[in-house]
Amino acid sequence: MTRTTDYDIEAADLVARSLRAVARDTDVAERPGEALPVAGLPAPIPLGAQRHRRTRRTVAATAAAAAVLLAALVWAGRNPSNPSDPTTTGDTGPADQGSEELPPELVPGNTGSMATEPGAVYSSPARYFAQARILEPPAGGRILTAVVNWPDGQPADRAVLSNIVQTLTVVVGGDKDRAQITATVGGSAGYLTLPLDDVDESVVLEVHNALVSDGVGVAEYGADDGWASLPADISWVPGVSPTVARHYSDGDVATVDLSSVAADIGPATAMVALLPDARPYPVGGGMGWQAPVPDGQTLFVWQAAPGTVGLVVASEAALADVGAMIESIPAPDPALGEHPNARLAGRSDEGSDVLWAVELADYLPSDGPPAVDERPCVSLWVDGQVVGPTCGVEVPPPSAVVPFSVFGPVAHVDGDATVVFGLLSPAVTTVTIDPIYGVELSVDTQPVDPADPDGLRYVVMIVHGGRDVPQIFRFRAGNRELSTTEIDLNVVGG
Amino acid sequence: MTDPPESVEEGYRRLRPGMVRLAHLLTGSPELAEDVVHDAFASCARRWSTLDQPEAYVRRAVVNQAHRAGRQAGRDRDKVARLGRTLPLSAGEPELDETWALLRVLPERQRMALVLRFYEDLSEAEIARLLECRPGTVKSLIHRGLAKVRKDVLR
């Protein structure tokens, strides 16, 4: 039975009947000589090992060059804010890990669009400051908006905006032919609006006009009409921050584009807003994501080192090979005292009604004496907002009477759900809330640092309803109850 | 005693007719449909014995291959010629022919969303997983497709 929900029932019925009629009339008889497409049977499959071998060679070659690219990025990051700095396009000798020199194949001044020929290199030494936002019309679809500022008050350039749009469509999708770009005349700001899904052209144009008119105030666009607005981060997108990239092909269909970008990948919720189908793909202990992107390609983006993002777009290549290649890339040495090295500790399940993510950030040692702020920090993100950055957390001993250092409601979402967050003793394996409206909620705790399963643990509980009376939370170690606490779910952060 | 697991050959014989129909609807081309189903089974064959739900897996492969074939057809610029070979339906209802003619020229993802929703009877969430997009996008695709039918056929 076809579920028609709020569709145009007459049109839906016509479509359904038409499709059934076509299906009924489709000739499904097997052709003489047609055989099962399985190797070893009469008609071997055309997708054979040959393509796979070529892919492996491509990936191996990519891996060999990856360290050079990442090293080059360390170099490119030396002068990140001045695209006209002549040293950033200088012709220099070969580079190796940690070198300050560009590899010889880098074409000086090549700041055009992403390379498309095998072996071609793309480099962009400039850093643009982009403030991005995803707007979602109530009818569905997503529109990416960004205000892009040129460094040092340099005049905005439409060609650069156009290149950024083109790269965005490669790594996050969208229709570049329907994108809108505006560079202010004589000013240092540019504006881009890119529909990521199927959205009316007139709507895109209206949003773009609002963007040019209001700048980052476009975040409020349509708020009264049910539009949603999510923060996004495009600083890791090639061409927005200093980038070197190289294109590889097996000469057939498999391609791998490897980039390194002088940036940090955004917080989990900002990444998920941009790549809603992304799933965590940590690399070498750094935070990373894997996501399907347009044209059947797959994107891998990961924090290769503090201040350096690795990025691969693979097409028709065996993902296992690509993954092995990524894992084999040595991370460049981080600079001291610069960036927090954010790692994803956990996130909401696919299809969850409340999106959340827990991040762990280690601050690198600085020259000064150790301080609380340099201890690990744990952040909870709920629906695009950080609701609980907590640094310098002491781990409660297993025997502690109060088996948590942080516990309680941190956010109300959609009027009904309460997000409860806790940082707990290693002894706590489960947190249970007594039945609300007959439904008991029990959530297993997880280690904050997967590399330290015996250390601090966290729990995120989504509690629906139950704000009418204080609720009893029970902390358990296996089947043994350690303690209980009574909490008023109405009081967020209380 | 439980039945022995279905072999890939048995699965192919059983599922092929339905998958060819689906591929025809997804691509708009009966010729392309044969290729799509062939490639879809080829991609599933090596792991057939490990599949819990072969039908769902093959369906996903058919959708992926149809998407890929549609892109290739667009690149080859023979889409117009392919679409020219429209066979009239035997249902004797001209509006069905008109609707099918319209569906074939809709943007690919709109057509796929309509086929998966109103032929395969999948939910928006299931379609979103197959098309690798958000349920809101699926809803939008379906609404736009139906609006086109309303405008061009039902007028």
Side-chain angles (χ1 to χ4, degrees):
Chain A
M1 187 182 74
T2 295
R3 294 157 288 203
T4 51
T5 61
D6 55 345
Y7 300 133
D8 178 337
I9 291 175
E10 193 180 4
D13 177 63
L14 187 56
V15 168
R17 287 193 296 124
S18 175
L19 293 173
R20 285 197 294 269
V22 173
R24 201 168 47 238
D25 281 8
T26 300
D27 178 8
V28 297
E30 291 186 31
R31 308 286 183 269
E34 185 178 62
L36 181 63
V38 180
L41 294 175
I45 57 173
L47 308 169
Q50 189 182 6
R51 176 186 298 183
H52 196 62
R53 278 198 298 274
R54 277 202 296 267
T55 302
R56 281 185 184 279
R57 280 204 300 272
T58 302
V59 170
T62 310
V68 174
L69 283 178
L70 289 171
L73 203 279
V74 171
W75 180 91
R78 303 259 166 184
N79 293 287
S81 63
N82 187 355
S84 61
D85 185 333
T87 62
T88 61
T89 56
D91 187 11
T92 62
D96 54 15
Q97 184 71 17
S99 168
E100 294 186 11
E101 300 174 334
L102 282 170
E105 61 269 38
L106 269 183
V107 180
N110 176 12
T111 55
S113 56
M114 287 286 281
T116 54
E117 295 302 317
V121 170
Y122 160 80
S123 70
S124 169
R127 183 187 298 280
Y128 304 97
F129 302 96
Q131 293 168 283
R133 201 96 195 160
I134 300 278
L135 298 178
E136 294 182 341
R142 295 175 304 144
I143 302 172
L144 172 66
T145 66
V147 179
V148 181
N149 285 288
W150 265 245
D152 302 328
Q154 296 174 51
D157 183 346
R158 276 183 64 86
V160 171
L161 284 173
S162 181
N163 281 343
I164 291 175
V165 165
Q166 183 172 334
T167 311
L168 277 168
T169 58
V170 173
V171 298
V172 303
D175 183 352
K176 68 176 185 297
D177 295 332
R178 297 172 61 219
Q180 300 286 330
I181 58 174
T182 300
T184 51
V185 178
S188 61
Y191 306 90
L192 70 86
T193 303
L194 174 65
L196 298 179
D197 300 311
D198 193 13
V199 181
D200 254 354
E201 201 155 347
S202 60
V203 175
V204 176
L205 198 55
E206 283 177 23
V207 169
H208 187 68
N209 288 338
L211 175 69
V212 174
S213 165
D214 302 337
V216 295
V218 76
E220 300 300 318
Y221 183 86
D224 295 337
D225 299 323
W227 284 57
S229 172
L230 303 169
D233 178 8
I234 62 171
S235 65
W236 55 272
V237 172
V240 175
S241 296
T243 302
V244 288
R246 190 160 188 168
H247 179 80
Y248 300 84
S249 167
D250 68 347
D252 186 6
V253 293
T255 62
V256 173
D257 289 274
L258 170 68
S259 307
S260 58
V261 184
D264 292 301
I265 58 176
T269 43
M271 292 297 283
V272 170
L274 205 55
L275 299 163
D277 299 313
R279 67 179 185 81
Y281 191 92
V283 177
M287 198 167 167
W289 301 88
Q290 177 188 344
V293 289
D295 291 337
Q297 302 183 110
T298 303
L299 168 72
F300 296 84
V301 54
W302 71 100
Q303 192 78 49
T308 302
V309 168
L311 188 142
V312 160
V313 177
S315 179
E316 302 285 353
L319 294 185
D321 290 349
V322 178
M325 180 271 284
I326 290 171
E327 291 288 351
S328 73
I329 300 174
D333 293 333
L336 293 181
E338 276 192 353
H339 300 274
N341 183 12
R343 308 194 291 283
L344 182 70
R347 64 178 292 192
S348 47
D349 293 333
E350 188 178 350
S352 170
D353 54 347
V354 176
L355 294 177
W356 59 264
V358 175
E359 285 181 342
L360 173 67
D362 287 335
Y363 286 89
L364 296 166
S366 64
D367 292 337
V372 169
D373 285 344
E374 290 174 353
R375 293 179 193 173
C377 296
V378 181
S379 299
L380 173 67
W381 296 78
V382 175
D383 278 0
Q385 303 294 323
V386 63
V387 294
T390 310
C391 293
V393 178
E394 299 287 348
V395 180
S399 58
V401 176
V402 178
F404 56 82
S405 57
V406 171
F407 193 83
V410 291
H412 291 149
V413 181
D414 294 337
D416 167 60
T418 302
V419 182
V420 178
F421 179 56
L423 292 171
L424 310 157
S425 155
V428 181
T429 57
T430 310
V431 181
T432 301
I433 183 170
D434 284 356
I436 297 177
Y437 315 128
V439 179
E440 183 182 273
L441 179 65
S442 178
V443 178
D444 291 341
T445 65
Q446 304 293 333
V448 168
D449 185 350
D452 183 15
D454 298 326
L456 189 69
R457 300 182 77 80
Y458 78 88
V459 70
V460 178
M461 307 176 77
I462 311 299
V463 185
H464 292 278
R467 289 187 207 153
D468 40 354
V469 293
Q471 298 299 325
I472 306 290
F473 288 78
R474 301 181 185 278
F475 302 91
R476 299 176 188 274
N479 292 327
R480 182 166 58 93
E481 187 167 296
L482 298 172
S483 72
T484 62
T485 187
E486 188 177 273
I487 291 179
D488 182 351
L489 295 182
N490 279 310
V491 184
V492 169
Chain B
M1 196 175 81
T2 57
D3 293 333
E6 184 180 49
S7 71
V8 60
E9 188 165 4
E10 291 165 341
Y12 178 73
R13 305 284 177 220
R14 176 172 67 85
L15 296 174
R16 182 185 167 282
M19 292 302 164
V20 170
R21 292 189 182 97
L22 172 61
H24 180 191
L25 298 177
L26 291 171
T27 62
S29 160
E31 294 85 1
L32 212 49
E34 297 283 350
D35 293 343
V36 161
V37 172
H38 180 279
D39 287 352
F41 270 96
S43 69
C44 301
R46 276 175 292 185
R47 66 194 74 171
W48 187 266
S49 61
T50 66
L51 301 178
D52 288 337
Q53 298 176 299
E55 186 164 354
Y57 198 90
V58 173
R59 181 191 290 114
R60 182 171 194 116
V62 165
V63 171
N64 289 341
Q65 294 290 346
H67 183 46
R68 189 168 298 166
R71 289 202 326 267
Q72 187 60 47
R75 284 195 202 108
D76 294 346
R77 299 185 182 283
D78 67 355
K79 201 172 184 178
V80 174
R82 181 165 56 78
L83 293 178
R85 295 199 292 273
T86 305
L87 297 173
L89 303 177
S90 56
E93 296 181 74
E95 72 270 23
L96 297 188
D97 287 334
E98 205 177 339
T99 303
W100 176 233
L102 171 65
L103 292 175
R104 299 180 80 193
V105 296
L106 283 180
E108 185 188 42
R109 281 161 65 85
Q110 267 185 34
R111 181 176 63 250
M112 293 179 105
L114 289 172
V115 169
L116 295 172
R117 185 71 184 86
F118 298 113
Y119 178 71
E120 285 287 291
D121 200 24
L122 301 184
S123 69
E124 288 167 357
E126 290 167 322
I127 297 169
R129 277 194 289 277
L130 282 171
L131 298 185
E132 297 183 339
C133 64
R134 307 180 90 187
T137 305
V138 173
K139 185 188 281 285
S140 170
L141 291 169
I142 292 172
H143 272 292
R144 284 176 196 291
L146 293 180
K148 189 76 175 159
V149 171
R150 163 66 59 187
K151 178 169 171 280
D152 290 4
V153 182
L154 293 171
R155 340 181 231 286

